[in-house]
Amino acid sequence: MDRLQLQWVALTLSIMTLSEACHPTDWRALTSFKSGIFLDTSGRLSKWVGRNCCDWEGISCHNSTGRVKEINLPGFISTGDLPFQSEMRGYLSASITLLNAVEIIDLGGLVGLCGTIPSFIGVRLRNLRKLYLYGNKMRGPLPESIGKLMKLEELAVHDNRLSGSLPASLGSLKSLHSLLLYGNRFSGAIPDSFVNLTNLVQMDLHSNSFNGHIPERIGQLQSLKELDLSDNFLSGKIPLSFTNLTALSVLYLDNNNLEGAIPFGSVTGQIPSLAFLRLNGNCLSGKIPSSFGELVFLKRASLSNNKLEGTIPSSLGNLSSLAELYLDSNRLSGRIPESFGQLSQLILLNLSHNSIKGPLPEMSSLQNIQSIDLSFNLLNLSSIPHWMAELRSLSKIYLAGCGIHGQIPEFLRTTPSPIQELDLSANHLTGRIPEWIGSLARLYSLKLSENSLVSVIPDSVTNLQDLGVLDLHSNKLTGNIRQVFKIGHRFPDGSLTYIDLSDNSFSGDFDQTDVGQQRAIHFLNLSHNNLKGRLPTSIGTLTSIRSLDLSRNNLGFDLPEALVNANLLETLKLQRNHFTGKIPKEFLKLRRLKELDLSDNLLVGEIPAGKPLSDFPRSTYMGNKGLCGKPLSPCKL
């Protein structure tokens, strides 16, 4: 056999070997990984048998070398028309770093994968391009060696329990274009070295505990399109270099401790691609730059919860693509610019909690707007503008604290789009709640509190089958409250989750009210009324309730043991009534109770010993002459 034939035989044997078994180091790495997993709901690892790991599900190998090239075992699996969320429980074996030819590791969204990222990952996996470990229970730091992964393009380790400071070596990853670290427990400063990641397109660090300043030279990231640093503890000023980010379309810096003026939008042409901006929940001050109106691609802007002052620039009316604008909870003054009538794409406008004055501009041209919130300004409207009734898409109206007088206007009955949420609280409304209120079939939230409304709740409210929030507190309403709990609903447990009828003059026997028809209630406040009788036994069916306030009524008789079935209760206020008898021992089962007030009743006997009842202060039980036991004086033998 000549030399050529020998080479051919050797090559054939080599190919046959590659087809029958993977590299022994890769086989050892993968079997070690498998042994660290004790539960795999997808069943993929159970098929990892034999020596030919290149045929195993989720494994791909290089054709030329037979070395493992990709591990694709994501938690979310699409099988035909039915997506499936799988889970792996166990620990990530450090042996995975033996796969020194691997380019892609996708173990994202497996939910139960624990352990740490191997400290020497950057030393061994020099060919790695994509690393997905998101949506697991990984702990520990991001290793310093990760900065040696010079081919790394995507790093996604978000939604884990990773902690510690970020290594400065991350700034060496010149090939990186996606960095997703959000939803972890990282702390410390954002490394200045990050400004060297000049190919970065997306960086998301939100929902961590980063502090310190945003790197001053962040404007060097010329390829950056999306940046999210929200929900951290960042401080200082927004760097001026942001104005150099000409490709940036998404910028979220909300819910930090940033201060000073808004640096961009002050000069024409800065950040021209910006479409989504969130700066809310900071300490920003100064005026809104007039050149904000040059951000012609802006679709959503939130500057709320800051210390911005001055007038709203009329140039904002030039934002022809703007769909959502949040300027609430600032110190803005002056009037709403007439130019706002040009915002034809506007869907949501929130200017609440400022010092804006009236009169309102004509805005009937905003035919796409669905939600308007002008609450708590200095508008002194006197009445609801009629042009609101002409807005064909408007379904959410918030005009609390706007100085509105008179009766609830009837044109709200016939708006082009059915009203879903209506807030007219803290005004000067008089008269009755109109009978036609029951024709608002899509109404979910009705807030009419802190007015001077009189008479009874109309029976028509029982037609409001979608009603979830009803707030009528602090009016002059009378009659009984039974119809509230008779409101029809599309759901087995009822639709209402929040009811506040406090500070009125409602009366009648409470025990004739079947509160059990609204078992989805979380919050119920009937305090400061004239209700009498027993607590209805149906109150024990409110198994979702967290807060119950029946204080300052004329309720009496024994406290019902059925109340313990409301075991999610956190607040229970029954003070200033005429309850008698003993405190049921079953109340000890209200383990979640954080606030309790039984003072000024006619209760007797020993306070049941144990948590949580014994841990409340004396004031919880004062004014019941017959009560004794901790925290009051010991009972006499």
Side-chain angles (χ1 to χ4, degrees):
M1 187 178 295
D2 59 26
R3 179 179 299 176
L4 186 61
Q5 289 176 313
L6 287 172
Q7 290 176 340
W8 177 255
V9 170
L11 179 61
T12 302
L13 289 173
S14 176
I15 292 173
M16 289 174 62
T17 301
L18 286 173
S19 65
E20 293 173 358
C22 63
H23 192 281
T25 303
D26 292 353
W27 183 86
R28 188 166 69 252
L30 292 174
T31 52
S32 181
F33 167 77
K34 178 183 177 181
S35 65
I37 305 299
F38 61 85
L39 174 68
D40 171 24
T41 60
S42 71
R44 287 173 291 188
L45 297 186
S46 63
K47 302 172 187 176
W48 284 16
V49 293
R51 303 286 300 188
N52 189 7
C53 63
C54 293
D55 284 342
W56 291 351
E57 187 171 354
I59 304 299
S60 300
C61 295
H62 288 275
N63 291 331
S64 57
T65 65
R67 298 299 303 269
V68 171
K69 180 182 180 181
E70 298 181 11
I71 302 177
N72 287 298
L73 296 172
F76 192 76
I77 305 170
S78 293
T79 54
D81 296 331
L82 296 175
F84 171 63
Q85 173 63 59
S86 65
E87 180 181 0
M88 284 189 188
R89 295 184 188 177
Y91 287 84
L92 178 64
S93 172
S95 66
I96 203 165
T97 59
L98 296 174
L99 303 169
N100 54 28
V102 74
E103 297 180 13
I104 297 174
I105 296 178
D106 186 354
L107 300 174
L110 292 171
V111 184
L113 189 62
C114 301
T116 60
I117 300 175
S119 60
F120 34 82
I121 187 171
V123 178
R124 294 182 174 176
L125 303 186
R126 296 297 183 92
N127 293 301
L128 196 61
R129 293 188 297 110
K130 298 178 181 181
L131 177 59
Y132 304 143
L133 295 174
Y134 63 86
N136 286 297
K137 296 179 180 177
M138 306 294 295
R139 296 178 179 270
L142 209 57
E144 180 75 29
S145 71
I146 208 161
K148 298 181 182 297
L149 299 174
M150 304 309 292
K151 295 181 180 180
L152 196 64
E153 299 169 2
E154 298 181 20
L155 177 59
V157 295
H158 51 281
D159 291 328
N160 277 286
R161 300 172 184 177
L162 300 170
S163 58
S165 299
L166 297 183
S169 62
L170 279 173
S172 301
L173 302 177
K174 297 295 180 66
S175 299
L176 198 66
H177 60 75
S178 180
L179 178 61
L180 306 179
L181 307 180
Y182 62 85
N184 280 288
R185 301 170 183 175
F186 291 121
S187 57
I190 298 173
D192 287 330
S193 62
F194 272 31
V195 303
N196 299 321
L197 301 173
T198 51
N199 286 311
L200 203 61
V201 174
Q202 180 186 26
M203 178 161 67
D204 194 340
L205 311 183
H206 83 263
S207 297
N208 280 286
S209 297
F210 293 115
N211 54 36
H213 294 190
I214 299 172
E216 283 293 331
R217 293 181 294 136
I218 197 167
Q220 293 179 196
L221 304 181
Q222 294 288 296
S223 300
L224 199 61
K225 292 183 178 179
E226 299 180 16
L227 176 62
D228 190 346
L229 304 179
S230 63
D231 296 295
N232 281 288
F233 300 100
L234 299 172
S235 58
K237 296 183 177 181
I238 299 174
L240 285 170
S241 66
F242 264 110
T243 58
N244 299 325
L245 298 175
T246 56
L248 195 66
S249 64
V250 177
L251 176 58
Y252 296 156
L253 303 178
D254 49 296
N255 297 315
N256 281 286
N257 299 313
L258 300 172
E259 58 188 15
I262 299 172
F264 42 84
S266 57
V267 178
T268 300
Q270 294 179 340
I271 320 187
S273 303
L274 194 61
F276 301 95
L277 173 66
R278 292 200 319 234
L279 300 178
N280 52 286
N282 283 289
C283 301
L284 300 174
S285 56
K287 296 183 177 182
I288 299 173
S290 59
S291 292
F292 238 68
E294 303 291 335
L295 300 172
V296 293
F297 291 106
L298 201 61
K299 295 181 180 179
R300 185 184 303 137
S302 179
L303 308 181
S304 60
N305 287 290
N306 280 290
K307 299 177 181 179
L308 299 172
E309 57 190 14
T311 59
I312 301 172
S314 60
S315 61
L316 295 191
N318 299 326
L319 300 175
S320 57
S321 299
L322 194 64
E324 297 180 21
L325 179 61
Y326 304 85
L327 301 179
D328 52 292
S329 301
N330 279 288
R331 301 170 182 177
L332 300 171
S333 57
R335 296 180 177 179
I336 300 173
E338 295 280 348
S339 61
F340 270 36
Q342 304 169 24
L343 299 173
S344 59
Q345 300 301 310
L346 199 62
I347 294 174
L348 186 150
L349 175 64
N350 191 342
L351 304 179
S352 65
H353 294 90
N354 280 289
S355 298
I356 298 169
K357 296 181 178 180
L360 294 180
E362 168 68 41
M363 293 193 285
S364 59
S365 58
L366 304 182
Q367 291 300 307
N368 288 309
I369 198 160
Q370 299 174 11
S371 176
I372 292 181
D373 192 346
L374 305 178
S375 301
F376 299 107
N377 278 286
L378 304 177
L379 294 172
N380 293 320
L381 293 181
S382 294
S383 62
I384 301 175
H386 277 270
W387 54 258
M388 284 194 179
E390 301 173 17
L391 301 175
R392 67 186 180 198
S393 302
L394 186 62
S395 61
K396 299 177 181 178
I397 303 172
Y398 309 99
L399 296 175
C402 287
I404 299 171
H405 290 257
Q407 298 186 359
I408 299 171
E410 190 167 358
F411 68 75
L412 294 176
R413 179 183 187 179
T414 56
T415 53
S417 181
I419 295 177
Q420 296 176 7
E421 299 188 17
L422 179 63
D423 187 354
L424 301 178
S425 57
N427 280 294
H428 308 288
L429 296 174
T430 55
R432 299 167 174 246
I433 299 174
E435 189 72 29
W436 56 256
I437 204 82
S439 66
L440 303 181
R442 299 284 300 278
L443 194 63
Y444 169 75
S445 176
L446 178 61
K447 297 182 178 181
L448 301 175
S449 63
E450 297 183 64
N451 282 287
S452 298
L453 297 170
V454 297
S455 195
V456 299
I457 299 174
D459 290 337
S460 64
V461 298
T462 58
N463 298 325
L464 301 176
Q465 295 191 17
D466 290 339
L467 195 66
V469 176
L470 178 62
D471 189 352
L472 304 179
H473 82 263
S474 304
N475 278 285
K476 300 175 182 179
L477 298 169
T478 58
N480 65 62
I481 60 173
R482 288 196 293 271
Q483 62 270 51
V484 170
F485 295 92
K486 291 180 179 178
I487 289 176
H489 47 80
R490 308 178 195 277
F491 310 104
D493 292 336
S495 59
L496 280 164
T497 60
Y498 184 103
I499 301 175
D500 191 346
L501 306 180
S502 62
D503 289 291
N504 281 285
S505 297
F506 292 116
S507 58
D509 290 330
F510 190 37
D511 55 357
Q512 295 180 16
T513 302
D514 186 4
V515 298
Q517 294 185 65
Q518 299 292 340
R519 293 192 299 274
I521 294 174
H522 288 76
F523 179 97
L524 177 59
N525 190 347
L526 304 178
S527 65
H528 292 259
N529 281 291
N530 298 314
L531 301 174
K532 62 181 182 178
R534 300 175 180 270
L535 293 188
T537 55
S538 59
I539 207 160
T541 64
L542 303 182
T543 53
S544 297
I545 197 165
R546 268 75 168 174
S547 178
L548 176 62
D549 190 347
L550 303 176
S551 62
R552 297 174 185 267
N553 279 284
N554 295 309
L555 299 168
F557 301 95
D558 293 349
L559 296 175
E561 294 180 6
L563 193 57
V564 302
N565 295 326
N567 55 17
L568 297 180
L569 263 178
E570 297 176 0
T571 299
L572 177 60
K573 295 183 177 181
L574 301 176
Q575 74 269 22
R576 300 279 183 102
N577 280 288
H578 308 292
F579 291 113
T580 59
K582 296 183 177 182
I583 299 173
K585 290 184 179 180
E586 286 79 7
F587 274 29
L588 293 170
K589 297 178 181 178
L590 297 174
R591 298 291 187 182
R592 296 173 182 256
L593 210 56
K594 298 175 182 176
E595 186 177 2
L596 174 67
D597 197 338
L598 301 177
S599 63
D600 297 308
N601 279 286
L602 303 171
L603 298 170
V604 297
E606 184 175 8
I607 298 169
K611 293 180 178 291
L613 300 185
S614 299
D615 293 341
F616 289 110
R618 290 173 56 86
S619 58
T620 295
Y621 306 103
M622 295 294 287
N624 292 279
K625 295 182 179 180
L627 275 183
C628 58
K630 187 179 179 180
L632 300 179
S633 301
C635 297
K636 297 179 180 180
L637 298 176

